Amino acid sequence: MQKNGKQDFEALFKNYHRQLVNLAYNLLRDKDLAKDVVQEVFLKLWKNKDELHFGEQIHHYLFRATVHTAMNAIRFQKKIVRIDDDPVIDTLTASEHRDDISYTELEVNVREAIDRLPPKCKTIYLLSRHEGLKYQQIADVLELSLKTVENQMGIALEKLRQDLKPFLTPNLLVIALLIAFVLWTIL
Amino acid sequence: MSAEKPNWHVVAAYLAGEMSADEKMNFEAWIKASKENELLFRESQILWKNSGKRIQLADVDTENEWQRLEQKMVSRSFFHDNLWMKVAAAIALLAVAIYGLIVLNLKDDIIIASGDHVATVYLPDSTRVWLNVNSSLVYADDFDQEHRKVHLKGEGYFDVRHDSLHKFVVTTEDASIEVLGTAFNVQEDSSTLTLSVEKGKVLLLPSGQKKGEEVAAQEIISLVNNVVMPKKKVDGDFSIWRKVRNPHYELEKSQPQKFLNVKFSWRKNAINQSVVEGNILNTASLAEYTNIDLAVTYSNLKGKSKTITIKIDGKIGNGEKLTFSKKLFDIFRDTQHMEVSVRGAEVVQ
C-alpha cells in the first residue's frame, strides 16, 4: 500500500465494497451496521496504509477484518440498548434483496433459524456454508481452536434441526388423512 | 456414534467435507445401520442444502459510502502524505498546547452560540443541528466518531448522522438524550424540557435517574422539574422555528440555483432528435422546491445556440432527487453541445 495513492485506494474500496457489505450483512442482518463495519475496516486500512504490505493478500485481510469487526459489533450491540433500528428481522423476500435470487419457503425458514443461532455459532456456520471456508481457515480467521469450530458446527446443525423439525419431517397425521381421503374417493 | 444420541459435529464434518476417507466410510456405515440414523442424516442433508444461499443486498450505495469514507480520510491524509507537514503539525500542536496550558489554560470545548439568528451547524460526524435564537451548543474538540456528545442550552433540532456503532448523546441541564441516528427537537427553559421526535426513536434520561423513557417518532414528551410527563402525539410543526430569522434558509429561498444540482446526459434518437435526461438533487437544508425552470441550451458545430425552458412542476424535498426527460425539436440540427442549468424555482411554503 505504501506507494499506492488515494486513487488506488478508491479502486480497492469500490472493488470490494459490495462483497464485504454482503458478508457483514449476512453475519449481522442489519444493513446500516454492515455498512458501518465496512467503513471501519477501510478507515483502519487507510490509517495504516504506510505500514501494511499486502499485495495479493489484501483480499484475505479485508475478509478477516470484516468478520472481526462484525463480531466486535455484535459484542458492542449487546452492551447498548438499540433504540432506533427496526427490530423486525428482514425476510429474504424483502425488496432490498437482489431479485435475481429466489428462495424456497424452506430456505427462508432455514435462514431465519440460522439468524436465531448464538452469534459465534452462526458466524462459524455461515463462514463454512456461505464462504466455503475449511474448518482450519475458520479457526484462523476467528482465532479459535479447531476443536471449537468442529463443536460449534455440530451445535449449529443440532439447533437448526430442532428448530426446523416440523419442516423436515412430513406430518404423519396429514399423511394419514391424505391416504384416508384417497381411499375414500376410490372406494 | 450411537443411534440414540448422534454426534452432531460428526454429521456436520461429513456434510462440510472435513472427513478423511476412513472416517467417511465409518460414517456411511453408521448411516446404514438403522432407519433412525438414515432419517437423521437425510434431515441434516436437507438443512445443509437449504442453507447455502447468501443474502445479496440489491443496493449497497458504494458511491455514497465511498464519499462518506473519503470525508473521514481527508483529515488524516493531509498529514500522512507529507513528512514535513507531520513535523510542522507536531511543532504547531506542541506550541498551541503549551500556549493553551501555560498561558491561557484553555478548555478543550467548542462553543457555538446562535445569537439573534437561527444557526445551521454541521458537527464533525456530519450531524446537522439547527440552533434557535439565543441558544448554544458545546462539544469537546475531540468530538469524533467515538465521542459523539454535545451539550445544549436553549432549543435545537438535531438530524443525527446514523452510526450504529457510536451513539450520539445530547445533554442539557435536566436530562440526556441518547440516539444512534434520527431527527428530533429539544427545547429547554428554566424548569421544562420538551423533546419532540420527528423520526426514529430516542431515549430520554432525566438527570440522576437510571431508567430512561423511550420516545418514538411523532411523539412529544416533557420533563417538568425533573418529572417526566405523559407522552403525547405531536400536534403541528414543532420545528417551524428553523425557518424564521434563519439567514441560511433565506439564501435557499432567494438563490435556488445554488442548491439545486443538475446532472444530465443527452443522445440523438432514431429520428435524429436530441433526448435530454437527468436528475435534480436538492442540497438545501430546509427549502423544498417546486415549479423548477430548467434552461436547456444546445448548439451546433458552428456554435449557433438555442435555449429553451423546461418547466418541472414536481416537488423536491431536502436531499431528494427528481428525474426529468425532454425531447428537443432539433431533428434538422447537428446538435453538438448541450448545457442544462436551473433558471429558477419556487419554494414550497
Side-chain angles (χ1 to χ4, degrees), chain B residues 162-179:
Chain B
H162 186 94
D163 185 341
S164 322
L165 300 176
H166 307 107
K167 65 183 174 185
F168 186 98
V169 181
V170 182
T171 61
T172 69
E173 287 299 308
D174 303 320
S176 69
I177 295 139
E178 294 183 3
V179 295

Side-chain angles (χ1 to χ4, degrees), chain A residues 66-85:
Chain A
T66 303
V67 173
H68 265 276
T69 314
M71 290 298 284
N72 285 338
I74 292 170
R75 282 184 211 118
F76 180 78
Q77 291 301 99
K78 276 184 182 171
K79 289 178 194 163
I80 63 166
V81 184
R82 303 210 53 199
I83 49 183
D84 73 330
D85 281 324

Side-chain angles (χ1 to χ4, degrees), chain B residues 7-18:
Chain B
N7 288 330
W8 286 99
H9 68 272
V10 178
V11 184
Y14 180 84
L15 290 167
E18 293 279 343

Side-chain angles (χ1 to χ4, degrees), chain B residues 299-316:
Chain B
S299 50
N300 61 12
L301 256 182
K302 293 172 187 169
K304 198 175 172 187
S305 65
K306 188 176 178 185
T307 301
I308 60 153
T309 302
I310 308 174
K311 203 159 191 74
I312 298 167
D313 54 6
K315 195 175 88 172
I316 321 183

